[in-house]
Amino acid sequence: MSETARHCGKRAEPALVSISGLCKSFPGVRALDRCQFELLAGEVHALVGENGAGKSTLMKVLSGVYQKDAGEIRIDGRPVEIRDPRSARDLGIGIVHQELNLMNHLSAAQNIFIGREPRRALGMFIDERELNRRAGAIFARMHLKLDPRTNVGRLTVAMQQMVEIAKALSFDSRVLIMDEPTAALNDAEIHDLFRIIRQLQSQGVGIVYISHKMDELREISSRVTVMRDGQYVATVPTATTPIETIIALMVGRELDMTQRRGSVASDGEVALEVKGLTCGKTLRDVSFSVRKGEILGFAGLMGAGRTEVARAVFGADAIDAGEIRVHGRAVSIRSPQDAVRHRIGYLSEDRKQFGLATGMDVASNVVMPCLRKFASFGLFLDKRRIDEAARGYVDRLRIKTPSVHQQVRLLSGGNQQKIVIAKWLLRDCDILFFDEPTRGIDIGAKTEIYRLLDALAAQGKAIVMISSELPEVLRMSDRVLVMCEGRVTGELSRAQASQEEIMRLATQRESTVFA
């Protein structure tokens, strides 16, 4: 039977996974409301929706991380109860989380079978030869050339992800859930991942593919299920459904995905100027400037040094040489506190580690950079004013939270990102570094952040935007600075910038600066 017929026509065999009427609530939040989902053997089924739509919660119920409040889950047509991750694994359900969970000091094989290592006759010692043989057999099934003895810490992010997939398959998984699997991969690595997915698909593995990248859905999935506000919206065939229709189903409204910003005058006041910035082997003689009201895009491949520039200017990393000028005046920035004092803000690409106190509530995170504003008599924090300020930014940025007292760790990734933005807006910084501002964020939240960046630029803020998504760089930037191996290899005006030209400069080692 053809794939199309098997996925869209009548089937003799039951679905591999069938979910109906599923409900799940947390204190103050109804995360899932009578949801449904179906996965066939050998199918790649995309699951999409805005942050907070319930995608990850639904998959955590399926993988045993959460237990359902109501509803039914069937595997091969049989009702099942999934009480914990072990029972999910016993049913052949594996999950590859967006944030990898590997031990870098162990080998690939040791990571795959940790806690389940084969033992020698007396059971006292690990049988390393058998361990490596079993891992090698899984890699062979994946058509993956990787020595099982290689330490995971020496692997690229893409190869580490392959090890995570192999770990899931080591439980004889027939269902594989992949949550934002390409978030940190470049185009070549994505191609390799898709090759692995197709091989697993041909072996009858059903794959649930969660992604915010609309272009990937067309290439890898046969059906798309859309969720919104914890509810099932629709399931549509990927091949015949326009991306605009899928986006409209996700957000409940039409989005303008083509709008670009107006040009910024090239003679505006320079807010930030950096000359000859050098940091060890990571940055070499980096120079650039950004004007008030301008968005300067930083492009380059992974490891090019873009984040290192932001961290150095913000004082998070020590510099060996270079000069930083703010509004024409040379300044010394030796710590983030110095940067904040000069009204420079930095939104890290790793919001959980460097941008948020996830164990604290929304209000505390929003006001964290400027607590002195809310101190009465210099001693006591005014809780009422803190809550009012936080509510203002919750409303302004459309942050989905039951209240400003909700712990940040309980919110979706997109809403966490908005909280990071809120705290720097409250600080009223003149210069803002946005490092991967839309990574892991749904299409609706992306559009809101684009509008916010436009609004900030219109207010005269100087913005440096670092992004690995070239369409995003081209859409938002007034100028584009391209880096490769710690150097600036080109500067492009909006008229000069194209994906092809950026990629040429991103793979060019010698500096060639355009006027």
Side-chain angles (χ1 to χ4, degrees):
M1 182 182 291
S2 71
E3 182 177 334
T4 301
R6 182 160 53 86
H7 289 173
C8 301
K10 293 182 179 180
R11 304 184 299 270
E13 68 277 4
L16 178 56
V17 175
S18 180
I19 297 173
S20 60
L22 201 72
C23 297
K24 177 65 181 177
S25 294
F26 299 100
V29 179
R30 190 168 180 82
L32 299 175
D33 184 9
R34 294 164 294 174
C35 285
Q36 64 186 69
F37 183 78
E38 180 188 68
L39 178 68
L40 308 180
E43 176 187 26
V44 178
H45 193 144
L47 182 60
V48 302
E50 295 188 89
N51 286 102
K55 309 180 301 295
S56 294
T57 302
L58 180 62
M59 290 301 104
K60 285 179 179 178
V61 170
L62 181 59
S63 60
V65 177
Y66 299 149
Q67 286 69 54
K68 61 183 174 64
D69 297 332
E72 184 178 63
I73 302 174
R74 289 176 175 263
I75 304 292
D76 293 326
R78 295 184 299 105
V80 296
E81 290 297 328
I82 303 177
R83 297 181 176 84
D84 50 42
R86 174 171 290 183
S87 62
R89 289 195 296 266
D90 290 344
L91 290 166
I93 300 168
I95 185 167
V96 179
H97 295 283
Q98 181 178 356
E99 296 171 358
L100 302 181
N101 186 26
L102 298 170
M103 298 186 181
N104 289 343
H105 65 286
L106 299 180
S107 72
Q110 289 166 339
N111 269 280
I112 291 169
F113 291 101
I114 192 164
R116 303 175 292 132
E117 300 89 348
R119 301 279 173 171
R120 293 179 182 170
L122 297 177
M124 295 180 62
F125 301 101
I126 294 174
D127 189 337
E128 293 286 348
R129 179 177 294 180
E130 177 63 14
L131 179 74
N132 293 326
R133 186 198 67 77
R134 291 183 186 180
I138 297 173
F139 292 153
R141 177 186 172 190
M142 297 169 65
H143 297 272
L144 185 64
K145 293 181 180 179
L146 175 61
D147 187 337
R149 299 167 295 183
T150 304
N151 267 34
V152 161
R154 294 169 50 197
L155 299 177
T156 64
V157 173
M159 293 304 291
Q160 289 178 353
Q161 196 155 51
M162 300 305 176
V163 174
E164 282 278 24
I165 294 172
K167 186 197 297 185
L169 294 177
S170 72
F171 293 96
D172 295 323
S173 299
R174 300 169 57 217
V175 176
L176 188 60
I177 302 163
M178 306 186 78
D179 192 354
E180 294 288 350
T182 64
L185 306 186
N186 61 35
D187 288 344
E189 292 166 340
I190 291 171
H191 177 79
D192 287 339
L193 175 65
F194 284 1
R195 176 180 56 80
I196 299 294
I197 288 174
R198 291 188 180 102
Q199 286 163 355
L200 296 175
Q201 186 181 7
S202 69
Q203 297 164 13
V205 177
I207 296 169
V208 183
Y209 191 90
I210 302 175
S211 179
H212 293 310
K213 298 181 179 180
M214 295 291 108
D215 56 327
E216 291 180 2
L217 306 185
R218 184 79 69 200
E219 183 175 351
I220 199 63
S221 69
S222 58
R223 290 191 293 168
V224 179
T225 287
V226 181
M227 294 183 65
R228 185 170 69 240
D229 297 330
Q231 295 183 322
Y232 168 85
V233 176
T235 298
V236 296
T238 311
T240 58
T241 306
I243 292 297
E244 294 76 14
T245 300
I246 295 173
I247 292 172
L249 289 170
M250 286 170 55
V251 301
R253 62 190 186 280
E254 296 291 340
L255 294 178
D256 180 3
M257 300 305 296
T258 59
Q259 182 181 0
R260 296 190 65 185
R261 304 180 61 248
S263 297
V264 172
S266 60
D267 59 352
E269 178 189 337
V270 174
L272 173 69
E273 186 176 13
V274 175
K275 295 181 179 178
L277 191 67
T278 300
C279 297
K281 296 180 179 179
T282 60
L283 296 177
R284 290 169 288 171
D285 195 28
V286 173
S287 299
F288 67 94
S289 65
V290 57
R291 300 178 183 275
K292 292 178 64 175
E294 181 183 33
I295 297 180
L296 175 66
F298 264 67
L301 301 177
M302 194 175 297
R306 300 164 301 163
T307 293
E308 287 76 8
V309 168
R311 288 178 57 84
V313 173
F314 192 62
D317 294 334
I319 64 174
D320 298 325
E323 182 182 49
I324 300 173
R325 288 181 169 270
V326 176
H327 299 301
R329 185 169 60 88
V331 298
S332 175
I333 299 178
R334 300 182 182 276
S335 68
Q337 288 81 4
D338 290 339
V340 172
R341 195 159 48 248
H342 292 294
R343 301 181 76 174
I344 300 173
Y346 172 47
L347 290 82
S348 169
E349 63 176 335
D350 189 344
R351 57 181 173 259
K352 288 187 178 178
Q353 184 172 355
F354 299 115
L356 294 167
T358 56
M360 298 175 72
D361 64 20
V362 172
S364 299
N365 274 272
V366 169
V367 303
M368 197 174 294
C370 45
L371 284 174
R372 288 183 181 179
K373 286 184 179 180
F374 300 94
S376 299
F377 308 107
L379 294 173
F380 305 104
L381 291 177
D382 188 330
K383 188 64 175 171
R384 182 185 60 79
R385 288 175 56 218
I386 288 174
D387 289 351
E388 285 179 358
R391 287 191 194 99
Y393 281 98
V394 165
D395 293 340
R396 178 179 172 185
L397 301 183
R398 301 178 189 174
I399 299 171
K400 294 180 180 177
T401 177
S403 77
V404 295
H405 303 299
Q406 178 82 316
Q407 284 195 347
V408 167
R409 65 181 179 83
L410 299 176
L411 302 182
S412 69
N415 288 304
Q416 289 178 351
Q417 182 74 318
K418 290 180 183 180
I419 291 169
V420 179
I421 294 173
K423 75 177 189 179
W424 291 116
L425 293 183
L426 181 61
R427 182 72 195 189
D428 194 25
C429 294
D430 292 334
I431 301 159
L432 289 164
F433 282 81
F434 285 79
D435 195 351
E436 303 289 358
T438 65
R439 175 174 289 173
I441 290 179
D442 62 77
I443 196 76
K446 274 189 179 184
T447 302
E448 290 177 7
I449 287 178
Y450 293 157
R451 289 173 180 162
L452 176 61
L453 291 177
D454 275 340
L456 291 172
Q459 294 168 20
K461 308 293 185 186
I463 296 172
V464 177
M465 187 188 74
I466 301 167
S467 177
S468 298
E469 296 188 28
L470 293 186
E472 181 170 88
V473 171
L474 293 170
R475 171 179 174 160
M476 296 302 299
S477 305
D478 296 298
R479 288 183 295 131
V480 179
L481 208 74
V482 188
M483 295 188 67
C484 178
E485 296 184 351
R487 290 183 182 273
V488 174
T489 53
E491 179 186 308
L492 302 168
S493 67
R494 176 178 288 183
Q496 293 170 320
S498 67
Q499 293 199 39
E500 293 76 17
E501 185 62 18
I502 290 174
M503 286 306 298
R504 184 182 73 79
L505 291 170
T507 55
Q508 180 174 302
R509 297 179 181 224
E510 296 300 321
S511 178
T512 306
V513 179
F514 294 82

